[in-house]
Protein backbone atom coordinates (compact mmCIF):
# COMPACT_ATOMS: atom_id res chain seq x y z
CA UNK A 1 0.00 0.00 0.00
CA UNK A 2 1.38 3.38 -1.01
CA UNK A 3 1.29 6.20 1.57
CA UNK A 4 -0.05 9.54 0.45
CA UNK A 5 2.24 11.86 2.21
CA UNK A 6 0.34 14.86 1.16
CA UNK A 7 -2.72 13.60 2.88
CA UNK A 8 -0.75 12.67 6.03
CA UNK A 9 0.90 16.02 6.18
CA UNK A 10 -2.41 17.77 5.59
CA UNK A 11 -4.13 15.77 8.38
CA UNK A 12 -1.18 16.37 10.71
CA UNK A 13 -1.41 20.08 9.94
CA UNK A 14 -5.12 20.02 10.51
CA UNK A 15 -4.60 18.20 13.81
CA UNK A 16 -1.98 20.62 14.95
CA UNK A 17 -4.17 23.53 13.87
CA UNK A 18 -7.11 21.99 15.69
CA UNK A 19 -5.05 21.53 18.84
CA UNK A 20 -3.82 25.11 18.66
CA UNK A 21 -7.28 26.42 18.01
CA UNK A 22 -8.69 24.38 20.85
CA UNK A 23 -5.91 25.48 23.16
CA UNK A 24 -6.20 29.04 22.04
CA UNK A 25 -9.93 29.38 22.08
CA UNK A 26 -11.17 26.53 24.31
CA UNK A 27 -8.63 25.24 26.79
CA UNK A 28 -7.06 28.61 27.60
CA UNK A 29 -10.39 30.28 28.58
CA UNK A 30 -11.45 27.14 30.43
CA UNK A 31 -8.12 26.94 32.25
CA UNK A 32 -8.27 30.67 32.95
CA UNK A 33 -11.81 30.29 34.23
CA UNK A 34 -10.73 27.33 36.33
CA UNK A 35 -7.78 29.31 37.73
CA UNK A 36 -9.99 32.26 38.40
CA UNK A 37 -12.49 29.97 40.05
CA UNK A 38 -9.77 28.36 42.11
CA UNK A 39 -8.49 31.79 43.14
CA UNK A 40 -11.98 32.87 44.13
CA UNK A 41 -12.53 29.66 46.05
CA UNK A 42 -9.13 30.02 47.72
CA UNK A 43 -9.93 33.67 48.56
CA UNK A 44 -13.31 32.65 49.90
CA UNK A 45 -11.68 29.86 51.93
CA UNK A 46 -9.13 32.32 53.28
CA UNK A 47 -11.92 34.80 54.07
CA UNK A 48 -13.89 32.03 55.73
CA UNK A 49 -10.80 31.02 57.70
CA UNK A 50 -10.20 34.61 58.74
CA UNK A 51 -13.88 34.99 59.66
CA UNK A 52 -13.72 31.77 61.57
CA UNK A 53 -10.63 32.95 63.43
CA UNK A 54 -12.28 36.30 64.08
CA UNK A 55 -15.44 34.53 65.21
CA UNK A 56 -13.34 32.28 67.46
CA UNK A 57 -11.58 35.31 68.87
CA UNK A 58 -14.87 37.11 69.45
CA UNK A 59 -16.32 33.94 71.00
CA UNK A 60 -13.31 33.66 73.31
CA UNK A 61 -13.66 37.33 74.26
CA UNK A 62 -17.39 36.88 74.82
CA UNK A 63 -16.74 33.78 76.93
CA UNK A 64 -14.14 35.67 78.98
CA UNK A 65 -16.47 38.64 79.40
CA UNK A 66 -19.32 36.29 80.29
CA UNK A 67 -17.11 34.54 82.85
CA UNK A 68 -16.08 37.92 84.31
CA UNK A 69 -19.72 38.99 84.37
CA UNK A 70 -20.73 35.75 86.10
CA UNK A 71 -17.94 36.17 88.63
CA UNK A 72 -18.84 39.82 89.23
CA UNK A 73 -22.51 38.90 89.45
CA UNK A 74 -21.69 36.16 91.97
CA UNK A 75 -19.59 38.57 94.00
CA UNK A 76 -22.44 41.12 94.00
CA UNK A 77 -24.96 38.44 94.94
CA UNK A 78 -22.73 37.20 97.77
CA UNK A 79 -22.23 40.76 99.01
CA UNK A 80 -25.97 41.46 98.77
CA UNK A 81 -26.78 38.22 100.62
CA UNK A 82 -24.20 38.98 103.32
CA UNK A 83 -25.52 42.54 103.69
CA UNK A 84 -29.07 41.24 103.82
CA UNK A 85 -28.13 38.72 106.49
CA UNK A 86 -26.35 41.42 108.49
CA UNK A 87 -29.30 43.81 108.18
CA UNK A 88 -31.70 40.99 109.03
CA UNK A 89 -29.67 40.16 112.14
CA UNK A 90 -29.60 43.85 113.11
CA UNK A 91 -33.37 44.09 112.68
CA UNK A 92 -33.87 40.89 114.68
CA UNK A 93 -31.59 42.17 117.45
CA UNK A 94 -33.35 45.54 117.46
CA UNK A 95 -36.76 43.86 117.51
CA UNK A 96 -35.61 41.53 120.30
CA UNK A 97 -34.24 44.49 122.27
CA UNK A 98 -37.44 46.52 121.73
CA UNK A 99 -39.55 43.53 122.74
CA UNK A 100 -37.45 42.99 125.87
CA UNK A 101 -37.64 46.71 126.71
CA UNK A 102 -41.39 46.71 126.15
CA UNK A 103 -41.75 43.54 128.23
CA UNK A 104 -39.69 45.13 131.02
CA UNK A 105 -41.75 48.33 130.88
CA UNK A 106 -45.00 46.36 130.88
CA UNK A 107 -43.80 44.26 133.80
CA UNK A 108 -42.72 47.38 135.69
CA UNK A 109 -46.00 49.11 134.87
CA UNK A 110 -47.91 46.03 136.00
CA UNK A 111 -45.92 45.88 139.23
CA UNK A 112 -46.49 49.59 139.83
CA UNK A 113 -50.19 49.16 139.03
CA UNK A 114 -50.43 46.20 141.41
CA UNK A 115 -48.50 48.08 144.10
CA UNK A 116 -50.68 51.16 143.59
CA UNK A 117 -53.82 49.02 143.69
CA UNK A 118 -52.66 47.23 146.82
CA UNK A 119 -51.75 50.58 148.39
CA UNK A 120 -55.15 52.04 147.50
CA UNK A 121 -56.95 48.98 148.82
CA UNK A 122 -54.89 49.00 152.03
CA UNK A 123 -55.38 52.73 152.43
CA UNK A 124 -59.14 52.53 151.87
CA UNK A 125 -59.32 49.54 154.20
CA UNK A 126 -57.36 51.40 156.89
CA UNK A 127 -59.49 54.50 156.42
CA UNK A 128 -62.65 52.43 156.70
CA UNK A 129 -61.37 50.62 159.80
CA UNK A 130 -60.26 53.81 161.51
CA UNK A 131 -63.46 55.59 160.51
CA UNK A 132 -65.57 52.76 161.93
CA UNK A 133 -63.40 52.62 165.06
CA UNK A 134 -63.63 56.38 165.56
CA UNK A 135 -67.38 56.34 165.06
CA UNK A 136 -67.71 53.45 167.50
CA UNK A 137 -65.66 55.34 170.09
CA UNK A 138 -67.80 58.43 169.60
CA UNK A 139 -70.94 56.33 170.06
CA UNK A 140 -69.47 54.64 173.15
CA UNK A 141 -68.14 57.83 174.74
CA UNK A 142 -69.87 58.79 177.98
CA UNK A 143 -69.43 61.03 181.03
CA UNK A 144 -68.02 58.13 183.08
CA UNK A 145 -65.50 57.32 180.34
CA UNK A 146 -64.60 60.99 180.11
CA UNK A 147 -64.02 61.10 183.89
CA UNK A 148 -61.63 58.18 183.60
CA UNK A 149 -59.90 59.96 180.71
CA UNK A 150 -59.39 63.07 182.88
CA UNK A 151 -57.87 60.91 185.61
CA UNK A 152 -55.53 59.23 183.14
CA UNK A 153 -54.53 62.62 181.68
CA UNK A 154 -53.75 64.06 185.16
CA UNK A 155 -51.70 60.98 186.01
CA UNK A 156 -49.69 61.30 182.85
CA UNK A 157 -49.08 65.01 183.41
CA UNK A 158 -47.34 64.02 186.65
CA UNK A 159 -44.96 61.78 184.70
CA UNK A 160 -44.08 64.15 181.85
CA UNK A 161 -40.53 64.09 180.61
CA UNK A 162 -38.37 66.99 181.73
CA UNK A 163 -37.97 68.46 178.22
CA UNK A 164 -41.71 68.25 177.54
CA UNK A 165 -42.52 69.86 180.87
CA UNK A 166 -39.97 72.64 180.33
CA UNK A 167 -41.30 73.35 176.84
CA UNK A 168 -44.83 73.83 178.17
CA UNK A 169 -43.62 75.99 181.07
CA UNK A 170 -41.59 78.18 178.68
CA UNK A 171 -44.62 78.59 176.41
CA UNK A 172 -46.79 79.61 179.37
CA UNK A 173 -44.17 82.00 180.80
CA UNK A 174 -43.81 83.71 177.41
CA UNK A 175 -47.51 84.57 177.32
CA UNK A 176 -48.99 84.06 180.84
CA UNK A 177 -52.51 84.02 179.45
CA UNK A 178 -55.06 81.52 180.81
CA UNK A 179 -54.33 78.00 179.72
CA UNK A 180 -56.92 76.70 177.26
CA UNK A 181 -58.35 73.44 178.64
CA UNK A 182 -60.52 71.41 176.26
CA UNK A 183 -62.45 68.20 176.84
CA UNK A 184 -65.05 66.20 174.92
CA UNK A 185 -67.60 66.65 177.75
CA UNK A 186 -68.07 69.52 180.18
CA UNK A 187 -65.97 68.81 183.29
CA UNK A 188 -67.50 68.88 186.73
CA UNK A 189 -66.34 71.34 189.38
CA UNK A 190 -64.25 68.66 191.13
CA UNK A 191 -62.66 67.60 187.83
CA UNK A 192 -61.84 71.20 187.00
CA UNK A 193 -60.29 71.57 190.46
CA UNK A 194 -58.19 68.44 189.92
CA UNK A 195 -57.01 69.65 186.51
CA UNK A 196 -56.11 73.11 187.90
CA UNK A 197 -54.17 71.46 190.71
CA UNK A 198 -52.24 69.31 188.25
CA UNK A 199 -51.62 72.38 186.07
CA UNK A 200 -50.35 74.40 189.07
CA UNK A 201 -48.00 71.57 190.00
CA UNK A 202 -46.82 71.35 186.40
CA UNK A 203 -46.12 75.09 186.10
CA UNK A 204 -44.85 75.53 189.63
CA UNK A 205 -47.22 78.48 190.12
CA UNK A 206 -50.93 79.15 190.16
CA UNK A 207 -52.42 79.54 186.70
CA UNK A 208 -55.84 80.36 185.36
CA UNK A 209 -57.56 77.94 183.05
CA UNK A 210 -60.32 78.47 180.48
CA UNK A 211 -62.44 75.31 180.18
CA UNK A 212 -64.18 74.54 176.88
CA UNK A 213 -65.63 71.47 175.21
CA UNK A 214 -64.55 69.84 171.92
CA UNK A 215 -66.41 66.60 170.97
CA UNK A 216 -63.70 65.81 168.41
CA UNK A 217 -61.32 64.87 171.22
CA UNK A 218 -63.20 61.57 171.81
CA UNK A 219 -62.55 60.65 175.43
CA UNK A 220 -59.61 62.98 176.01
CA UNK A 221 -58.40 66.36 177.22
CA UNK A 222 -55.88 68.97 176.05
CA UNK A 223 -53.94 71.92 177.47
CA UNK A 224 -52.72 74.79 175.28
CA UNK A 225 -50.42 77.62 176.31
CA UNK A 226 -49.09 80.13 173.78
CA UNK A 227 -49.41 77.69 170.88
CA UNK A 228 -47.85 74.71 172.70
CA UNK A 229 -50.31 71.89 173.25
CA UNK A 230 -50.37 68.90 175.57
CA UNK A 231 -53.12 66.43 174.74
CA UNK A 232 -54.26 62.92 175.38
CA UNK A 233 -57.24 61.16 173.81
CA UNK A 234 -58.22 57.91 172.20
CA UNK A 235 -58.41 59.81 168.90
CA UNK A 236 -54.72 60.66 169.21
CA UNK A 237 -53.91 56.97 169.46
CA UNK A 238 -55.96 56.28 166.35
CA UNK A 239 -54.35 59.18 164.44
CA UNK A 240 -50.83 58.09 165.39
CA UNK A 241 -51.58 54.52 164.44
CA UNK A 242 -53.16 55.57 161.14
CA UNK A 243 -50.17 57.77 160.22
CA UNK A 244 -47.63 55.09 161.08
CA UNK A 245 -49.45 52.57 158.89
CA UNK A 246 -50.81 54.50 155.94
CA UNK A 247 -48.66 57.61 155.40
CA UNK A 248 -45.67 56.89 153.09
CA UNK A 249 -42.24 58.16 154.12
CA UNK A 250 -42.08 60.34 151.01
CA UNK A 251 -45.25 62.20 151.99
CA UNK A 252 -44.69 64.92 154.55
CA UNK A 253 -47.37 65.28 157.26
CA UNK A 254 -49.59 68.30 157.09
CA UNK A 255 -48.39 71.18 159.23
CA UNK A 256 -50.60 72.74 161.82
CA UNK A 257 -50.71 76.54 161.92
CA UNK A 258 -47.87 77.52 164.29
CA UNK A 259 -49.41 75.23 166.97
CA UNK A 260 -47.02 72.79 168.60
CA UNK A 261 -48.91 69.73 169.71
CA UNK A 262 -47.51 67.10 172.02
CA UNK A 263 -49.50 64.00 172.85
CA UNK A 264 -49.07 62.96 176.46
CA UNK A 265 -48.21 59.26 176.40
Amino acid sequence: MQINWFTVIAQLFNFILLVWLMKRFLYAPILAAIDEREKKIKAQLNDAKDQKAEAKKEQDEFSAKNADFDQHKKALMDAAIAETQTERQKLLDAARTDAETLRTKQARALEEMQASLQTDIAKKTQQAVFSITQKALVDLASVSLESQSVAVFIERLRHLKADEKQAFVDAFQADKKPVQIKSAFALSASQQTDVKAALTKLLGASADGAFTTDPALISGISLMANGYKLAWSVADYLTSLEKSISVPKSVAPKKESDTKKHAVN
Side-chain angles (χ1 to χ4, degrees):
M1 181 177 179
Q2 190 176 3
I3 299 174
N4 188 354
W5 289 103
F6 177 78
T7 304
V8 171
I9 293 171
Q11 290 180 348
L12 180 61
F13 177 77
N14 289 332
F15 178 75
I16 293 171
L17 180 61
L18 179 62
V19 171
W20 181 83
L21 290 173
M22 290 182 64
K23 183 178 179 182
R24 176 70 179 81
F25 295 104
L26 181 62
Y27 292 145
I30 291 174
L31 292 175
I34 291 174
D35 291 339
E36 184 67 25
R37 181 65 177 173
E38 286 179 353
K39 290 179 181 179
K40 288 182 179 180
I41 292 173
K42 189 175 181 179
Q44 290 176 353
L45 289 175
N46 291 332
D47 290 341
K49 186 177 180 180
D50 293 339
Q51 291 178 359
K52 183 178 179 181
E54 184 69 22
K56 182 69 169 60
K57 181 180 178 181
E58 291 179 355
Q59 183 180 6
D60 293 339
E61 291 178 355
F62 175 78
S63 298
K65 290 182 180 179
N66 194 28
D68 292 340
F69 175 76
D70 290 340
Q71 186 176 2
H72 184 63
K73 181 178 71 174
K74 185 177 182 302
L76 290 177
M77 287 295 296
D78 293 341
I81 291 173
E83 185 177 357
T84 302
Q85 291 292 338
T86 302
E87 190 66 24
R88 176 176 176 272
Q89 188 62 39
K90 287 182 180 179
L91 291 175
L92 287 175
D93 293 340
R96 191 178 295 109
T97 301
D98 292 342
E100 187 65 25
T101 301
L102 181 60
R103 188 181 301 110
T104 302
K105 289 182 179 179
Q106 289 178 343
R108 188 181 299 115
L110 181 60
E111 291 177 358
E112 292 176 355
M113 186 184 302
Q114 290 177 344
S116 177
L117 183 60
Q118 291 175 355
T119 301
D120 290 342
I121 293 175
K123 185 175 181 181
K124 289 180 180 179
T125 302
Q126 293 165 4
Q127 290 175 348
V129 170
F130 285 117
S131 177
I132 293 172
T133 303
Q134 188 174 17
K135 185 176 184 303
L137 289 173
V138 171
D139 293 341
L140 293 174
S142 62
V143 176
S144 60
L145 181 60
E146 194 68 20
S147 299
Q148 184 63 28
S149 300
V150 172
V152 172
F153 180 72
I154 292 174
E155 182 64 25
R156 296 197 175 186
L157 283 180
R158 295 172 182 170
H159 297 87
L160 272 180
K161 295 179 181 179
D163 56 341
E164 297 171 354
K165 178 179 179 181
Q166 189 60 45
F168 187 79
V169 172
D170 292 343
F172 174 74
Q173 293 293 339
D175 189 20
K176 290 190 177 181
K177 290 183 179 180
V179 178
Q180 300 296 318
I181 305 170
K182 291 184 180 181
S183 58
F185 292 91
L187 301 181
S188 63
S190 61
Q191 288 174 336
Q192 292 183 8
T193 300
D194 293 339
V195 172
K196 285 184 178 181
L199 182 60
T200 299
K201 186 175 181 179
L202 175 64
L203 298 175
S206 179
D208 293 331
F211 290 90
T212 57
T213 59
D214 184 5
L217 288 174
I218 308 177
S219 299
I221 190 170
S222 68
L223 304 178
M224 181 179 292
N226 194 23
Y228 191 88
K229 185 176 182 181
L230 294 175
W232 179 88
S233 70
V234 177
D236 287 333
Y237 279 118
L238 291 176
T239 302
S240 299
L241 180 60
E242 185 176 6
K243 287 181 179 181
S244 65
I245 293 176
S246 62
V247 177
K249 294 182 179 180
S250 60
V251 180
K254 294 182 179 179
K255 295 182 179 180
E256 296 185 7
S257 58
D258 297 340
T259 300
K260 298 179 181 178
K261 180 178 179 181
H262 180 75
V264 181
N265 297 319

